[in-house]
């Protein structure tokens, strides 16, 4: 069964999962190990840092969005990828692993990219759809010169939005190369439309010295012109989109202030999907990989408050007993869609791959993949 860009699970698949549900952890673990052994190097399991420990233990390689995309682009050995992450990540891996030159080198054979649970989406990615972005572009064209406007989509977006960027000379970015992507854009055009995460865009542009007054916020639900006055658009440099990550919006400025009172010498590091008021109070901000690196490289005994997803923070606590690690917020916030990937779904997907009956294959439709590839290749070239 192959699923295009939709994330709706087919009833037949739900039914097929039933026999796996009563299985305990020990049995699931040994069955996954057996299926992995049977496939050997033909199978590549990629795991995002937000995956739960039991799942990440099975990943051959783990990383942030940028690293996982480049791993999918560069692996020449594997015959199948299981992506322990969310839907947009699997789409990106499919586009890169099955790009035309790779297909030609394999005599047309595709590398299936499997997302163990099709319900593993991203609420931020869902905050901009292609119709809204096309409509925004058309309305902007009534006020500003869109020939001098470059679209940037955060990788947390559908393949259709990446294809839109590819068609309009634009680029995809991740949290680890957002600044480089905006600089790349300004070397070509004088204005940027950045979707769907307002916070990553605002935080990055502010760090580049662009004032808030030149960053109007486009609301795709407003009746016209994104709820903005024409002047706000003519004076703009980076047009933001009303989108946010519901996990990272939990972190508040008062969490940083409370930590600082308790540990004046401590360090605060947050993901750039957090709101501006949090990022500007933190010592550092960066992608999941940058957060891990900062903790790894700090002198032992450093007190850290970390503002990102709970599974990653807990893993850092466990893997770095030489550091004092605290979760920045007072309420737990884990990414519930990342959490959907569990041992039950992983076992079901790797056993089916080993049996030659893959389930939950994410395959982006060719026209969309062509446009998206252009913008993704630019992303991989810009760091
Ligand atoms: P990274 O690219 O930093 O891993 O972030 C992915 C993500 O979804 C953060 O919410
Ligand atoms: Fe999407 Fe936020 Fe989850 Fe990242 S943490 S996958 S941005 S919902």
């Amino acid at each position: 069964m192959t699923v295009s860009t939709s994330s709706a699970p087919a009833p037949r698949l739900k039914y097929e999962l039933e026999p796996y549900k009563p299985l305990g952890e020990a049995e699931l673990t040994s069955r996954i190990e057996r299926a992995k052994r049977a496939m050997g190097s033909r199978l590549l399991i990629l795991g995002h840092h937000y995956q739960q420990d039991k799942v990440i233990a099975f990943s051959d390689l783990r990383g942030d969005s940028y690293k996982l995309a480049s791993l999918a682009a560069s692996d020449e050995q594997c015959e199948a990828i299981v992506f322990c992450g969310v839907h947009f990540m699997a789409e990106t891996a499919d586009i890169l692993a099955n790009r035309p030159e790779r297909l030609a080198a394999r005599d047309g054979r595709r590398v299936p990219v499997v997302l163990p649970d099709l319900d593993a989406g991203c609420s931020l990615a869902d905050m901009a759809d292609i119709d809204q972005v096309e409509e925004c572009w058309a309305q902007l064209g009534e006020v500003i010169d869109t020939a001098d406007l470059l679209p940037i989509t955060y990788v947390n977006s559908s393949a259709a939005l990446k294809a839109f960027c590819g068609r309009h000379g634009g680029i995809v970015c991740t949290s680890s190369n957002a600044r480089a992507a905006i600089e790349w854009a300004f070397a070509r055009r004088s204005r940027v439309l950045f979707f769907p995460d307002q916070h990553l865009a605002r935080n990055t542009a502010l760090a580049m010295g662009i004032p808030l007054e030149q960053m109007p916020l486009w609301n795709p639900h407003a009746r016209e012109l994104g709820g903005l006055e024409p002047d706000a658009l003519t004076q703009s440099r980076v047009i933001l989109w009303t989108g946010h990550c519901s996990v990272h919006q939990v972190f508040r400025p008062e969490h940083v202030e409370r930590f600082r009172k308790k540990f004046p010498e401590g360090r605060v590091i947050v993901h750039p999907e957090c709101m501006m008021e949090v990022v500007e109070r933190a010592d550092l901000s960066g992608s999941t990989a940058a957060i891990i690196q900062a903790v790894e490289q700090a002198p032992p005994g450093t007190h850290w408050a970390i503002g990102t997803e709970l599974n990653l923070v807990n893993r850092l606590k466990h893997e770095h007993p030489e550091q004092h690690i605290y979760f920045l917020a007072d309420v737990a916030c884990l990414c519930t869609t990342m959490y959907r990937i569990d041992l039950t779904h992983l076992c079901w997907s790797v056993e089916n791959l080993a049996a030659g009956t893959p389930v939950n294959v994410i395959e982006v439709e060719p026209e969309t993949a062509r446009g998206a590839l252009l913008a993704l290749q630019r992303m991989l070239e810009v760091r």
Side-chain angles (χ1 to χ4, degrees), residues 181-203:
I182 297 179
E183 283 168 354
W184 181 93
F186 282 139
R188 286 157 180 82
R189 314 270 166 88
S190 32
R191 231 189 289 269
V192 162
L193 169 64
F194 191 120
F195 43 84
D197 186 19
Q198 58 172 295
H199 300 296
L200 175 65
R202 186 182 290 112
N203 291 325

Side-chain angles (χ1 to χ4, degrees), residues 24-343:
E25 190 176 328
E27 180 158 11
L28 288 167
T29 302
S30 79
R31 283 174 62 166
I32 296 169
E33 279 165 357
R34 199 177 321 135
K36 268 196 86 177
R37 260 196 314 277
M39 290 200 71
S41 61
R42 291 182 296 131
L43 172 64
L44 175 64
I45 302 186
L46 296 177
H48 185 265
H49 292 307
Y50 291 163
Q51 290 292 296
Q52 47 186 300
D53 287 343
K54 290 175 196 160
V55 169
I56 207 88
F58 285 105
S59 62
D60 299 302
L61 298 165
R62 48 171 125 155
D64 64 359
S65 309
Y66 187 96
K67 181 168 173 197
L68 294 173
S70 59
L71 288 169
S74 60
D75 191 287
E76 293 186 12
Q77 302 298 322
C78 74
E79 294 175 18
I81 295 175
V82 170
F83 210 117
C84 298
V86 288
H87 192 264
F88 73 81
M89 295 179 179
E91 276 191 339
T92 299
D94 172 56
I95 295 164
L96 291 168
N98 293 305
R99 63 194 187 277
E101 81 249 30
R102 275 294 147 86
L103 282 180
R106 293 194 297 260
D107 295 327
R109 188 179 45 78
R110 295 186 70 83
V111 166
V113 177
V114 169
L115 181 64
D117 184 347
L118 295 179
D119 282 339
C122 166
S123 54
L124 166 59
D126 292 340
M127 288 180 191
D129 69 32
I130 186 62
D131 293 340
Q132 291 171 329
V133 170
E134 296 273 15
E135 178 60 26
C136 166
W137 195 263
Q139 289 194 34
L140 286 174
E142 292 163 17
V143 181
I144 56 176
D145 178 12
T146 48
D148 196 24
L149 175 68
L150 194 131
I152 302 182
T153 188
Y154 189 24
V155 70
N156 299 39
S157 58
S158 70
L161 296 196
K162 295 180 175 84
F164 176 91
C165 289
R167 283 199 303 279
H168 290 274
I171 188 168
V172 179
C173 76
T174 74
S175 56
S176 70
N177 74 345
R179 181 176 182 139
I182 297 179
E183 283 168 354
W184 181 93
F186 282 139
R188 286 157 180 82
R189 314 270 166 88
S190 32
R191 231 189 289 269
V192 162
L193 169 64
F194 191 120
F195 43 84
D197 186 19
Q198 58 172 295
H199 300 296
L200 175 65
R202 186 182 290 112
N203 291 325
T204 310
L206 272 175
M208 292 169 66
I210 298 169
L212 281 175
E213 307 75 71
Q214 292 183 350
M215 290 187 231
L217 182 61
W218 182 276
N219 174 3
H221 305 290
R223 274 240 326 265
E224 59 185 285
L225 230 45
L228 295 164
E229 294 299 326
D231 277 0
L233 292 166
T234 51
Q235 287 158 23
S236 68
R237 293 210 67 209
V238 179
I239 303 170
L240 311 174
W241 188 270
T242 312
H244 65 270
C245 164
S246 48
V247 176
H248 287 92
Q249 78 164 2
V250 166
F251 301 106
R252 320 288 310 180
E254 53 273 25
H255 296 144
V256 182
E257 278 147 19
R258 196 189 49 198
F259 176 78
R260 294 240 186 263
K261 269 203 196 109
K262 210 161 171 197
F263 301 106
E265 303 297 316
R267 309 280 284 157
V268 179
I269 186 164
V270 300
H271 197 278
E273 287 174 15
C274 293
M275 63 181 74
M276 172 182 76
E277 294 80 357
V278 170
V279 171
E280 65 192 9
R281 283 168 175 79
D283 299 295
L284 297 163
S285 77
S287 75
T288 53
I291 292 172
I292 294 168
Q293 197 188 40
V295 171
E296 278 170 358
Q297 293 177 352
T302 306
H303 288 264
W304 284 102
I306 304 184
T308 197
E309 203 268 351
L310 188 61
N311 277 293
L312 173 55
V313 179
N314 283 341
R315 186 171 314 119
L316 279 168
K317 263 190 211 172
H318 182 71
E319 290 179 353
H320 291 279
E322 81 285 6
Q323 307 283 4
H324 304 287
I325 293 176
Y326 309 89
F327 188 65
L328 179 60
D330 43 16
V331 285
C333 61
L334 56 82
C335 177
T336 51
T337 48
M338 285 273 183
Y339 200 72
R340 294 198 72 90
I341 311 295
D342 56 14
L343 290 185

Side-chain angles (χ1 to χ4, degrees), residues 340-352:
R340 294 198 72 90
I341 311 295
D342 56 14
L343 290 185
T344 310
H345 287 86
L346 185 59
C347 186
W348 176 54
S349 14
V350 291
E351 285 196 337
N352 271 290

